[in-house]
């Protein structure tokens, strides 16, 4: 029997390729009408073929959705290994049903969980990213930080907020995962101190980034700080019949006039002494530390000494979290109880 593999390519596209029954990982260089490709393309006479006219069926389905399918060469590490159809995800279910019923083939579908993730991604993309003003009001970010974020980074912060602080950020290198993590954790500043686990080479980079994005002396917040200082304090209300007693901070809301949206309390900006980088296995963070940065190499010694213990931190950021992928390693076994005891755990990879 023929073997067909359906694979997700992006949030909006998937691919269909024929694979050899003898080697499920190898793609077959054969045209979709059943004819062999030129000899230099790697096809063989024993390669399985697809039913006749399947290409025409694919084109009809794609046309009905207003899309144009593509038949292309697939490469692995720069080497051509096969041919595949590249199709819009909107025809996935129809095409899968057709192939199962009419192709006389074993069809490897896209895993259901992967399809669900693609659907959520499309839904988010259609919804758009929040504005700086929205994320300030709704999530309590500092104005200077919110305005410094790119739209997709604000989307990342919103993604973390929707998952109540426990999520995986897996953007490509250079797209600003660090600032997204700092902005995300600032939403939960009332639950700090926050633990940052990171490779040894980036410990002091995290200290610099926290002070840059949330530091009291950072120029990012200079305008906001000046505005706060100039803002007059609420004078309160005076009640003559009560001996002139004043009620500080009381406001009057006119009937029929909607109240302004309530802004979440923003994080108190950090002083340099409040960001502590653990230097060795005997180091103990000071009582005023609100951000504690620790390298993976120090984890066993710090857990043994009790500096890192389940329940000591309610928030954690795990940079390069793939370093914990081996569940049998000493490092992973040692730190997992600490991370599982947190309320917010943001993984980055």
């Amino acid at each position: 029997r023929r073997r067909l593999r359906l694979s997700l390519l992006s949030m909006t596209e998937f691919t269909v390729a024929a694979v050899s029954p003898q080697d499920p990982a190898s793609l077959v260089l054969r045209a979709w009408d059943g004819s062999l490709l030129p000899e230099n393309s790697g096809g063989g006479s024993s390669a399985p073929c697809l039913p006749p006219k399947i290409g025409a069926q694919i084109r009809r389905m794609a046309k009905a959705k207003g899309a144009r399918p593509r038949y292309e060469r697939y490469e692995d590490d720069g080497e051509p290994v096969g041919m595949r159809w590249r199709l819009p995800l909107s025809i996935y279910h129809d095409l899968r049903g057709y192939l199962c019923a009419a192709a006389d083939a074993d069809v490897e579908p896209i895993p259901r969980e992967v399809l669900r993730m693609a659907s959520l991604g499309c839904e988010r993309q259609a919804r758009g990213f929040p504005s700086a003003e929205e994320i300030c009001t709704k999530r309590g970010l500092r104005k200077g930080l919110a305005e410094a974020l790119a739209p997709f980074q604000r989307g990342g912060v919103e993604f973390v907020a929707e998952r109540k602080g426990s999520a995986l950020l897996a953007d490509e290198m250079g797209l600003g995962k660090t600032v997204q993590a700092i902005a995300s954790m600032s939403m939960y500043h009332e639950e700090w101190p926050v633990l940052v686990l990171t490779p040894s080479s980036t410990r002091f980079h995290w200290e610099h980034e926290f002070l840059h994005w949330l530091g009291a002396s950072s120029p990012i917040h200079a305008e906001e700080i000046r505005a706060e200082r100039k803002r007059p304090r609420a004078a309160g209300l005076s009640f003559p019949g009560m001996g002139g007693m004043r009620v500080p901070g009381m406001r009057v809301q006119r009937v029929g006039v909607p109240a302004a949206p309530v802004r979440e309390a923003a994080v108190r900006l950090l002083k340099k002494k409040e960001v502590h980088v653990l230097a060795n296995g005997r180091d103990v963070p000071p009582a005023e530390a609100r951000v504690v940065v620790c390298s993976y190499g120090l984890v066993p010694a710090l857990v043994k000494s009790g500096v890192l213990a389940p329940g000591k931190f309610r928030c954690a950021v795990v940079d390069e979290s793939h370093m914990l992928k081996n569940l049998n390693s000493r490092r992973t076994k040692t730190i997992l109880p600490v991370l599982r005891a947190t309320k917010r755990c943001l993984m980055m990879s």
Side-chain angles (χ1 to χ4, degrees):
R1 285 172 63 86
R2 304 174 182 88
R3 191 185 186 102
L4 310 178
R5 179 173 295 147
L6 282 62
S7 306
L8 188 69
L9 187 64
S10 68
M11 290 190 299
T12 58
E13 292 182 308
F14 74 104
T15 62
V16 183
V19 295
S20 169
Q22 291 79 20
D23 183 8
S26 64
L27 298 177
V28 178
L29 291 173
R30 180 176 281 268
W32 287 86
D33 60 0
S35 62
L36 290 175
L37 294 170
E39 291 183 3
N40 60 5
S41 66
S45 59
S46 61
C49 62
L50 293 168
K53 300 182 180 179
I54 189 171
Q57 179 65 23
I58 286 176
R59 290 188 180 90
R60 282 195 294 270
M61 288 182 175
K63 185 178 180 180
K65 298 289 185 178
R68 176 179 292 182
R70 291 168 55 187
Y71 189 52
E72 61 185 16
R73 184 179 299 277
Y74 174 73
E75 295 184 351
D76 186 13
D77 292 331
E79 296 292 328
V81 293
M83 300 295 294
R84 66 185 183 185
W85 279 104
R86 184 170 177 168
L87 308 166
L89 197 57
S90 56
I91 71 169
Y92 170 77
H93 293 289
D94 291 341
L95 181 60
R96 179 190 172 191
Y98 170 79
L99 293 176
C100 290
D104 188 26
D106 293 325
V107 179
E108 297 180 21
I110 301 172
R112 184 177 301 177
E113 184 63 21
V114 175
L115 280 175
R116 191 179 75 86
M117 291 172 63
S119 176
L120 290 173
C122 289
E123 183 181 318
R124 172 172 296 281
Q125 203 170 50
R127 200 164 64 228
F129 300 126
S131 66
E133 184 179 353
E134 288 172 341
I135 208 165
C136 279
T137 303
K138 186 178 178 183
R139 303 301 180 187
L141 262 65
R142 283 278 178 173
K143 181 181 177 183
L145 175 55
E147 291 179 346
L149 295 175
F152 76 91
Q153 291 173 328
R154 295 196 297 269
V157 174
E158 184 69 13
F159 170 81
V160 174
E162 289 175 354
R163 282 147 187 81
K164 299 181 180 179
S166 295
L168 170 65
L169 286 178
D171 288 342
E172 292 288 342
M173 186 180 296
L175 293 182
K177 293 191 293 293
T178 300
V179 66
Q180 290 182 62
I182 291 172
S184 298
M185 284 296 105
S186 75
M187 295 186 292
Y188 309 107
H189 61 95
E190 294 178 353
E191 301 171 8
W192 284 12
V194 55
L195 172 67
V196 179
L197 283 177
T198 181
S200 179
S201 60
T202 57
R203 286 181 300 163
F204 295 100
H205 171 72
W206 273 97
E207 178 189 33
H208 173 269
E209 290 294 289
F210 263 99
L211 292 174
H212 176 71
W213 295 111
L214 291 178
S217 58
S218 173
I220 291 175
H221 306 290
E223 182 181 343
E224 188 177 6
I225 291 173
R226 284 195 298 269
E228 288 177 351
R229 288 172 178 170
K230 291 179 181 179
R231 190 177 300 140
R233 296 187 178 184
L237 296 178
S238 177
F239 296 90
M242 300 175 64
M245 184 182 75
R246 300 176 66 82
V247 183
M250 179 176 284
R251 297 184 305 170
V252 175
Q253 176 65 39
R254 292 175 58 190
V255 177
V257 178
V262 178
R263 188 185 189 278
E264 293 290 333
V267 60
R268 177 171 60 82
L269 294 177
L270 294 164
K271 300 175 182 177
K272 185 173 175 57
K273 65 180 181 180
E274 293 178 322
V275 182
H276 184 76
V277 179
L278 294 170
N280 54 61
R282 298 181 300 277
D283 196 358
V284 178
E288 66 266 22
R290 298 170 63 205
V291 178
V292 178
V293 184
C294 173
S295 67
Y296 285 108
L298 296 179
V299 164
L302 291 169
V303 169
K304 187 176 180 179
S305 67
V307 173
L308 299 183
K312 279 201 170 183
F313 296 92
R314 299 179 67 189
C315 299
V317 175
V318 186
D319 191 14
E320 306 294 349
S321 59
H322 52 268
M323 296 181 71
L324 301 178
K325 64 183 179 181
N326 185 356
L327 295 177
N328 297 318
S329 70
R330 181 188 175 196
R331 172 196 296 156
T332 305
K333 287 181 177 179
T334 305
I335 197 60
L336 271 186
V338 177
L339 298 179
R340 283 175 175 156
T342 61
K343 187 175 180 182
R344 326 282 181 186
C345 187
L346 180 57
M347 316 289 280
M348 298 166 57
S349 183

